[in-house]
Amino acid sequence: MSDSPARHLALQGASNFRDLGGYPTVDGRTTRWRHIFRSNHLGQLTAADIEIVRALGVRSAFDFRGREERAAGICVVNEITVHSLPIEPTVVAALRAELAKGTLTAPVALELMRESYRNYVRHNTDSFRSLFGHLLEDHAPLVIHCTAGKDRTGFASALILHALGVPDDVIAEDYLLTNQHYKRDATAAIDLPEDVRNAIGSVEASYLAAAFEAVGQDYGDIETYLRDALKLGTVERTALKERYLQA
Protein backbone atom coordinates (compact mmCIF):
# COMPACT_ATOMS: atom_id res chain seq x y z
CA MET A 1 0.00 0.00 0.00
CA SER A 2 1.34 3.44 -0.91
CA ASP A 3 2.25 5.81 1.91
CA SER A 4 2.22 8.83 -0.41
CA PRO A 5 0.00 11.79 0.51
CA ALA A 6 -3.40 12.06 -1.14
CA ARG A 7 -3.20 13.69 -4.56
CA HIS A 8 -6.79 14.91 -4.54
CA LEU A 9 -8.00 16.69 -1.44
CA ALA A 10 -11.74 16.29 -1.12
CA LEU A 11 -12.67 19.79 -0.04
CA GLN A 12 -16.36 20.64 0.19
CA GLY A 13 -16.01 24.02 -1.49
CA ALA A 14 -13.34 23.21 -4.11
CA SER A 15 -13.74 19.94 -5.99
CA ASN A 16 -10.55 20.06 -8.07
CA PHE A 17 -7.87 20.77 -5.43
CA ARG A 18 -4.91 18.53 -6.28
CA ASP A 19 -1.22 18.08 -5.49
CA LEU A 20 1.37 18.09 -8.29
CA GLY A 21 3.76 16.02 -6.17
CA GLY A 22 4.86 12.44 -6.64
CA TYR A 23 5.32 12.50 -10.41
CA PRO A 24 8.46 10.87 -11.87
CA THR A 25 10.83 12.81 -14.09
CA VAL A 26 12.99 11.64 -16.96
CA ASP A 27 16.14 12.03 -14.85
CA GLY A 28 14.91 9.68 -12.14
CA ARG A 29 13.72 12.27 -9.65
CA THR A 30 10.21 13.00 -8.37
CA THR A 31 8.16 16.17 -7.98
CA ARG A 32 7.90 17.21 -4.34
CA TRP A 33 4.67 16.57 -2.50
CA ARG A 34 2.85 19.43 -0.77
CA HIS A 35 4.69 22.20 -2.63
CA ILE A 36 2.50 23.02 -5.65
CA PHE A 37 -1.26 22.56 -5.69
CA ARG A 38 -3.72 23.17 -8.52
CA SER A 39 -7.37 23.94 -7.92
CA ASN A 40 -10.60 25.52 -8.93
CA HIS A 41 -11.28 28.89 -7.27
CA LEU A 42 -11.06 29.38 -3.51
CA GLY A 43 -14.11 31.57 -3.02
CA GLN A 44 -16.46 28.89 -1.68
CA LEU A 45 -14.30 27.03 0.82
CA THR A 46 -16.06 25.98 4.00
CA ALA A 47 -14.64 26.60 7.47
CA ALA A 48 -13.39 22.99 7.51
CA ASP A 49 -11.78 23.47 4.08
CA ILE A 50 -10.00 26.59 5.28
CA GLU A 51 -8.46 24.66 8.16
CA ILE A 52 -7.22 21.97 5.75
CA VAL A 53 -5.65 24.57 3.47
CA ARG A 54 -4.07 26.33 6.45
CA ALA A 55 -2.64 23.02 7.66
CA LEU A 56 -1.02 22.54 4.24
CA GLY A 57 0.84 25.81 4.80
CA VAL A 58 -0.41 27.45 1.60
CA ARG A 59 0.38 31.16 1.70
CA SER A 60 0.36 32.16 -1.99
CA ALA A 61 -2.21 31.74 -4.75
CA PHE A 62 -1.66 32.47 -8.42
CA ASP A 63 -5.01 33.30 -9.96
CA PHE A 64 -5.59 33.17 -13.72
CA ARG A 65 -9.19 34.40 -13.56
CA GLY A 66 -10.37 37.52 -15.35
CA ARG A 67 -11.66 40.63 -13.60
CA GLU A 68 -15.32 39.69 -13.24
CA GLU A 69 -14.48 36.12 -12.25
CA ARG A 70 -12.23 37.34 -9.44
CA ALA A 71 -14.90 39.70 -8.11
CA ALA A 72 -17.45 36.87 -8.03
CA GLY A 73 -15.29 34.51 -5.96
CA ILE A 74 -12.76 36.19 -3.67
CA CYS A 75 -10.33 33.88 -1.84
CA VAL A 76 -11.68 33.24 1.66
CA VAL A 77 -8.38 32.19 3.27
CA ASN A 78 -7.06 35.37 4.88
CA GLU A 79 -3.48 34.13 5.16
CA ILE A 80 -3.15 33.58 1.41
CA THR A 81 -1.64 36.34 -0.69
CA VAL A 82 -3.33 36.29 -4.10
CA HIS A 83 -1.27 37.19 -7.18
CA SER A 84 -3.48 37.98 -10.18
CA LEU A 85 -2.23 36.68 -13.54
CA PRO A 86 -5.38 37.45 -15.53
CA ILE A 87 -6.46 35.58 -18.63
CA GLU A 88 -9.93 36.75 -19.54
CA PRO A 89 -12.36 33.94 -20.43
CA THR A 90 -13.56 33.96 -24.04
CA VAL A 91 -15.24 30.63 -24.71
CA VAL A 92 -18.74 31.22 -23.34
CA ALA A 93 -19.09 34.53 -25.17
CA ALA A 94 -17.95 32.85 -28.40
CA LEU A 95 -20.43 30.02 -27.85
CA ARG A 96 -23.26 32.46 -27.32
CA ALA A 97 -22.32 34.24 -30.53
CA GLU A 98 -22.58 30.93 -32.38
CA LEU A 99 -25.90 30.23 -30.65
CA ALA A 100 -27.26 33.58 -31.83
CA LYS A 101 -26.25 32.72 -35.40
CA GLY A 102 -27.88 29.30 -35.15
CA THR A 103 -24.56 27.54 -35.82
CA LEU A 104 -23.79 26.18 -32.35
CA THR A 105 -23.11 22.43 -32.18
CA ALA A 106 -20.97 20.23 -29.93
CA PRO A 107 -18.19 20.00 -32.59
CA VAL A 108 -18.16 23.81 -32.83
CA ALA A 109 -17.86 23.97 -29.04
CA LEU A 110 -14.94 21.53 -29.08
CA GLU A 111 -13.10 23.61 -31.67
CA LEU A 112 -13.72 26.82 -29.72
CA MET A 113 -12.20 25.13 -26.68
CA ARG A 114 -9.15 24.11 -28.71
CA GLU A 115 -8.80 27.64 -30.07
CA SER A 116 -8.89 29.06 -26.55
CA TYR A 117 -5.94 26.83 -25.66
CA ARG A 118 -4.03 27.98 -28.74
CA ASN A 119 -4.64 31.53 -27.58
CA TYR A 120 -3.01 30.81 -24.23
CA VAL A 121 0.21 30.55 -26.21
CA ARG A 122 -0.49 33.28 -28.77
CA HIS A 123 -1.92 35.94 -26.46
CA ASN A 124 -1.36 35.03 -22.80
CA THR A 125 2.23 33.89 -22.52
CA ASP A 126 3.00 36.92 -20.30
CA SER A 127 0.81 35.46 -17.55
CA PHE A 128 2.58 32.11 -17.67
CA ARG A 129 5.97 33.84 -17.70
CA SER A 130 4.94 35.75 -14.58
CA LEU A 131 3.93 32.49 -12.90
CA PHE A 132 7.39 31.03 -13.40
CA GLY A 133 8.95 34.22 -12.06
CA HIS A 134 6.98 33.68 -8.87
CA LEU A 135 7.83 29.98 -8.72
CA LEU A 136 11.52 30.87 -8.88
CA GLU A 137 11.05 33.13 -5.86
CA ASP A 138 9.91 30.01 -3.94
CA HIS A 139 6.51 30.82 -2.48
CA ALA A 140 5.81 27.13 -1.76
CA PRO A 141 3.50 25.75 -0.58
CA LEU A 142 1.38 27.50 -3.18
CA VAL A 143 -1.72 26.97 -5.25
CA ILE A 144 -2.44 27.91 -8.86
CA HIS A 145 -6.03 28.20 -9.97
CA CYS A 146 -8.63 29.74 -12.25
CA THR A 147 -12.40 29.31 -11.96
CA ALA A 148 -12.73 25.58 -12.67
CA GLY A 149 -9.04 24.71 -12.33
CA LYS A 150 -9.12 22.83 -15.61
CA ASP A 151 -8.14 24.96 -18.63
CA ARG A 152 -5.91 27.91 -17.76
CA THR A 153 -4.73 26.02 -14.69
CA GLY A 154 -4.43 22.82 -16.72
CA PHE A 155 -2.08 24.40 -19.23
CA ALA A 156 -0.07 26.12 -16.49
CA SER A 157 0.29 22.81 -14.64
CA ALA A 158 1.41 21.07 -17.83
CA LEU A 159 4.06 23.76 -18.37
CA ILE A 160 5.32 23.37 -14.81
CA LEU A 161 5.57 19.61 -15.14
CA HIS A 162 7.33 19.94 -18.51
CA ALA A 163 9.83 22.37 -17.02
CA LEU A 164 10.53 19.90 -14.22
CA GLY A 165 11.11 17.04 -16.66
CA VAL A 166 7.92 15.01 -16.17
CA PRO A 167 7.16 12.79 -19.21
CA ASP A 168 4.36 13.74 -21.61
CA ASP A 169 2.17 10.75 -20.78
CA VAL A 170 2.25 11.55 -17.06
CA ILE A 171 1.43 15.20 -17.78
CA ALA A 172 -1.57 14.07 -19.83
CA GLU A 173 -2.75 11.83 -17.00
CA ASP A 174 -2.61 14.71 -14.52
CA TYR A 175 -4.49 16.97 -16.92
CA LEU A 176 -7.30 14.45 -17.42
CA LEU A 177 -7.79 13.90 -13.66
CA THR A 178 -10.07 16.94 -13.79
CA ASN A 179 -12.72 14.73 -15.36
CA GLN A 180 -12.70 12.55 -12.24
CA HIS A 181 -12.79 15.31 -9.66
CA TYR A 182 -14.28 18.56 -10.92
CA LYS A 183 -17.92 19.12 -10.01
CA ARG A 184 -19.50 21.46 -12.50
CA ASP A 185 -21.72 24.36 -11.53
CA ALA A 186 -25.14 23.16 -12.70
CA THR A 187 -26.36 26.76 -12.96
CA ALA A 188 -23.59 27.96 -15.28
CA ALA A 189 -24.35 28.73 -18.94
CA ILE A 190 -27.78 27.10 -18.71
CA ASP A 191 -28.79 28.89 -21.90
CA LEU A 192 -26.46 26.61 -23.86
CA PRO A 193 -27.40 23.10 -25.07
CA GLU A 194 -26.43 20.24 -22.78
CA ASP A 195 -23.95 18.67 -25.21
CA VAL A 196 -22.20 22.04 -25.51
CA ARG A 197 -22.08 22.44 -21.73
CA ASN A 198 -20.57 18.96 -21.53
CA ALA A 199 -17.87 19.98 -23.99
CA ILE A 200 -16.88 23.07 -22.00
CA GLY A 201 -17.37 21.49 -18.58
CA SER A 202 -14.73 18.79 -18.98
CA VAL A 203 -11.27 18.40 -20.48
CA GLU A 204 -10.12 16.46 -23.54
CA ALA A 205 -6.64 15.47 -24.63
CA SER A 206 -7.20 17.44 -27.83
CA TYR A 207 -7.51 20.69 -25.85
CA LEU A 208 -4.06 20.43 -24.31
CA ALA A 209 -2.68 19.12 -27.60
CA ALA A 210 -3.95 22.26 -29.33
CA ALA A 211 -1.92 24.45 -26.97
CA PHE A 212 1.23 22.46 -27.66
CA GLU A 213 0.53 22.55 -31.38
CA ALA A 214 0.53 26.36 -31.10
CA VAL A 215 3.81 26.14 -29.20
CA GLY A 216 5.27 24.11 -32.06
CA GLN A 217 3.96 26.48 -34.72
CA ASP A 218 5.18 29.65 -33.02
CA TYR A 219 8.34 28.48 -31.25
CA GLY A 220 9.38 25.18 -32.85
CA ASP A 221 9.16 23.04 -29.70
CA ILE A 222 8.36 23.16 -25.99
CA GLU A 223 12.00 23.53 -24.93
CA THR A 224 12.36 26.67 -27.04
CA TYR A 225 9.09 28.03 -25.64
CA LEU A 226 10.28 27.46 -22.08
CA ARG A 227 13.61 29.12 -22.80
CA ASP A 228 12.65 32.03 -25.04
CA ALA A 229 9.03 32.81 -24.13
CA LEU A 230 8.97 31.86 -20.45
CA LYS A 231 12.59 32.90 -19.82
CA LEU A 232 13.62 29.58 -18.29
CA GLY A 233 17.26 29.25 -19.22
CA THR A 234 19.63 26.65 -17.82
CA VAL A 235 20.11 28.52 -14.54
CA GLU A 236 16.39 28.99 -14.03
CA ARG A 237 15.51 25.40 -14.91
CA THR A 238 18.15 24.14 -12.46
CA ALA A 239 16.81 26.39 -9.70
CA LEU A 240 13.25 25.28 -10.39
CA LYS A 241 14.22 21.63 -10.16
CA GLU A 242 16.17 22.16 -6.93
CA ARG A 243 13.09 23.69 -5.33
CA TYR A 244 10.39 21.40 -6.63
CA LEU A 245 12.08 18.00 -7.17
CA GLN A 246 13.41 15.44 -4.75
CA ALA A 247 15.83 12.59 -5.35
Side-chain angles (χ1 to χ4, degrees), residues 43-123:
Q44 296 178 337
L45 299 183
T46 66
D49 293 338
I50 291 171
E51 291 308 310
I52 292 171
V53 173
R54 283 176 174 156
L56 293 171
V58 175
R59 293 294 181 269
S60 299
F62 301 97
D63 183 355
F64 287 107
R65 293 177 300 168
R67 180 175 57 83
E68 291 184 6
E69 293 173 287
R70 292 196 306 276
I74 297 170
C75 177
V76 295
V77 185
N78 293 333
E79 296 89 342
I80 290 181
T81 299
V82 178
H83 303 268
S84 178
L85 306 174
I87 298 175
E88 293 292 342
T90 59
V91 172
V92 172
L95 290 169
R96 287 181 173 140
E98 295 290 339
L99 182 65
K101 292 189 295 183
T103 53
L104 182 57
T105 62
V108 167
L110 291 170
E111 183 53 29
L112 285 172
M113 285 297 298
R114 287 188 282 266
E115 185 65 8
S116 73
Y117 274 71
R118 296 181 189 108
N119 287 336
Y120 296 156
V121 177
R122 294 168 179 161
H123 304 306

Side-chain angles (χ1 to χ4, degrees), residues 109-150:
L110 291 170
E111 183 53 29
L112 285 172
M113 285 297 298
R114 287 188 282 266
E115 185 65 8
S116 73
Y117 274 71
R118 296 181 189 108
N119 287 336
Y120 296 156
V121 177
R122 294 168 179 161
H123 304 306
N124 301 117
T125 285
D126 286 354
S127 290
F128 299 109
R129 184 186 308 119
S130 295
L131 172 65
F132 279 99
H134 286 293
L135 293 177
L136 286 164
E137 293 171 8
D138 198 13
H139 290 269
L142 58 91
V143 59
I144 59 175
H145 73 88
C146 50
T147 293
K150 70 183 190 68

Side-chain angles (χ1 to χ4, degrees), residues 198-214:
N198 288 338
I200 65 173
S202 59
V203 292
E204 290 203 359
S206 69
Y207 299 167
L208 190 59
F212 288 115
E213 286 165 9

Side-chain angles (χ1 to χ4, degrees), residues 1-245:
M1 181 178 293
S2 172
D3 58 359
S4 297
R7 178 167 308 288
H8 175 248
L9 285 82
L11 305 180
Q12 292 177 293
S15 62
N16 206 14
F17 195 105
R18 310 193 326 248
D19 195 325
L20 288 181
Y23 287 132
T25 65
V26 294
D27 61 359
R29 302 172 73 181
T30 306
T31 56
R32 291 185 187 274
W33 287 104
R34 297 309 191 241
H35 273 56
I36 303 176
F37 299 92
R38 54 171 295 178
S39 183
N40 49 327
H41 77 87
L42 307 177
Q44 296 178 337
L45 299 183
T46 66
D49 293 338
I50 291 171
E51 291 308 310
I52 292 171
V53 173
R54 283 176 174 156
L56 293 171
V58 175
R59 293 294 181 269
S60 299
F62 301 97
D63 183 355
F64 287 107
R65 293 177 300 168
R67 180 175 57 83
E68 291 184 6
E69 293 173 287
R70 292 196 306 276
I74 297 170
C75 177
V76 295
V77 185
N78 293 333
E79 296 89 342
I80 290 181
T81 299
V82 178
H83 303 268
S84 178
L85 306 174
I87 298 175
E88 293 292 342
T90 59
V91 172
V92 172
L95 290 169
R96 287 181 173 140
E98 295 290 339
L99 182 65
K101 292 189 295 183
T103 53
L104 182 57
T105 62
V108 167
L110 291 170
E111 183 53 29
L112 285 172
M113 285 297 298
R114 287 188 282 266
E115 185 65 8
S116 73
Y117 274 71
R118 296 181 189 108
N119 287 336
Y120 296 156
V121 177
R122 294 168 179 161
H123 304 306
N124 301 117
T125 285
D126 286 354
S127 290
F128 299 109
R129 184 186 308 119
S130 295
L131 172 65
F132 279 99
H134 286 293
L135 293 177
L136 286 164
E137 293 171 8
D138 198 13
H139 290 269
L142 58 91
V143 59
I144 59 175
H145 73 88
C146 50
T147 293
K150 70 183 190 68
D151 299 312
R152 291 162 288 189
T153 298
F155 183 53
S157 299
L159 290 175
I160 291 168
L161 295 176
H162 266 295
L164 293 173
V166 174
D168 290 352
D169 60 333
V170 178
I171 292 171
E173 289 173 10
D174 176 79
Y175 174 74
L176 291 171
L177 282 177
T178 282
N179 290 337
Q180 294 182 32
H181 299 300
Y182 177 55
K183 294 182 175 63
R184 283 186 274 165
D185 180 355
T187 65
I190 57 174
D191 56 318
L192 299 176
E194 184 177 2
D195 57 352
V196 170
R197 284 186 282 123
N198 288 338
I200 65 173
S202 59
V203 292
E204 290 203 359
S206 69
Y207 299 167
L208 190 59
F212 288 115
E213 286 165 9
V215 166
Q217 289 167 1
D218 292 355
Y219 295 91
D221 56 39
I222 182 61
E223 293 299 318
T224 304
Y225 181 69
L226 293 173
R227 185 191 70 220
D228 294 351
L230 301 183
K231 306 306 178 186
L232 295 175
T234 302
V235 171
E236 290 79 14
R237 290 282 289 277
T238 299
L240 203 67
K241 289 179 180 181
E242 287 303 308
R243 286 188 169 100
Y244 299 111
L245 296 182

